[in-house]
């Protein structure tokens, strides 16, 4: 098995979102104007670029990379031996020193590791939802420099929510 069972289940929304973004981009690409937004600033689109696969699908490629990174982190968290499973100091003094080291951040328990891994994959889903809003802006049929006011909120709220949930999972782990 490539992924552990908890990661496979929680990876499903990310995989679906990535497939939706890729399919939507594939459908929209032939209808895009020759110049598409490259950067969106406070006053709207302030930089343009020629349409290409790379420029049109940049958010899809970045999301795929973020997904690989988050899945890797979730797998590593699940494969780390939690603090409550380390041998006692009497039987393995070297392992006990690693358990108390501030340089190594182990999950407190298997349940905590699972909670942190789920939070990371949920954060990845929130990144995908944020990029979905960005793709809606990027893949417009007309080269309009105006940006709707809701775009900032639509891209920021999922990122803040996913980050807050991930921090909450990590903080609750440290309290154990």
């Amino acid at each position: 098995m490539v992924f552990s069972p908890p990661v496979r289940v929680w990876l499903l929304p990310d995989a679906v979102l990535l497939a939706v973004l890729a399919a939507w981009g594939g459908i929209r690409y032939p209808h895009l104007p020759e110049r598409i937004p490259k950067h969106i600033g406070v006053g709207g689109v302030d930089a343009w670029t020629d349409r290409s696969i790379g420029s049109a699908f940049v958010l899809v490629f970045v999301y795929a990379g973020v997904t690989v990174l988050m899945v890797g982190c979730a797998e590593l968290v699940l494969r780390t031996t939690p603090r409550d499973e380390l041998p006692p100091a009497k039987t393995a003094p070297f392992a006990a020193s690693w358990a108390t080291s501030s340089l190594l951040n182990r999950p407190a328990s298997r349940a905590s590791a699972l909670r942190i891994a789920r939070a990371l994959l949920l954060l990845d889903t929130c990144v995908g939802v944020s990029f979905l809003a960005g793709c809606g802006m990027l893949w417009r049929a007309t080269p309009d420099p105006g940006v709707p006011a809701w775009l900032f909120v639509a891209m920021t709220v999922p990122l803040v929510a996913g980050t807050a949930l991930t921090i909450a999972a990590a903080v609750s782990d440290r309290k154990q």
Side-chain angles (χ1 to χ4, degrees):
M1 289 284 155
V2 176
F3 302 119
S4 56
V7 170
R8 281 197 304 265
V9 170
W10 283 84
L11 180 61
L12 187 60
D14 301 327
V16 169
L17 197 52
L18 189 57
V20 165
L21 280 171
W24 183 28
I27 292 167
R28 291 292 310 139
Y29 186 76
H31 307 289
L32 294 179
E34 290 303 314
R35 310 259 310 143
I36 60 174
K38 180 179 181 180
H39 184 264
I40 299 172
V42 177
V45 178
D46 56 12
W48 299 86
T49 187
D50 293 330
R51 179 184 71 182
S52 69
I53 298 291
S55 63
F57 287 87
V58 66
L59 291 178
V60 178
F61 296 147
V62 169
Y63 181 52
V66 169
T67 299
V68 168
L69 179 68
M70 291 295 199
V71 167
C73 289
E75 280 291 338
L76 287 174
V77 166
L78 291 172
R79 292 175 189 218
T80 301
T81 304
R83 287 191 306 265
D84 66 354
E85 293 180 14
L86 289 173
K90 295 176 186 175
T91 59
F94 183 72
S97 68
W98 271 99
T100 59
S101 171
S102 63
L103 298 176
L104 187 62
N105 188 7
R106 291 182 181 276
S109 64
R110 288 280 170 208
S112 179
L114 183 59
R115 191 171 37 256
I116 291 169
R118 285 178 180 163
L120 288 171
L121 294 172
L122 183 61
L123 174 59
D124 186 51
T125 302
C126 291
V127 169
V129 169
S130 177
F131 282 9
L132 189 66
C135 286
M137 184 68 202
L138 182 66
W139 295 335
R140 294 186 296 181
T142 58
D144 181 12
V147 176
W150 57 262
L151 182 64
F152 177 76
V153 173
M155 291 189 75
T156 305
V157 168
L159 295 175
V160 170
T163 302
L165 290 171
T166 305
I167 290 171
V171 167
S172 72
D173 176 61
R174 298 313 277 169
K175 289 181 181 179
Q176 291 184 2

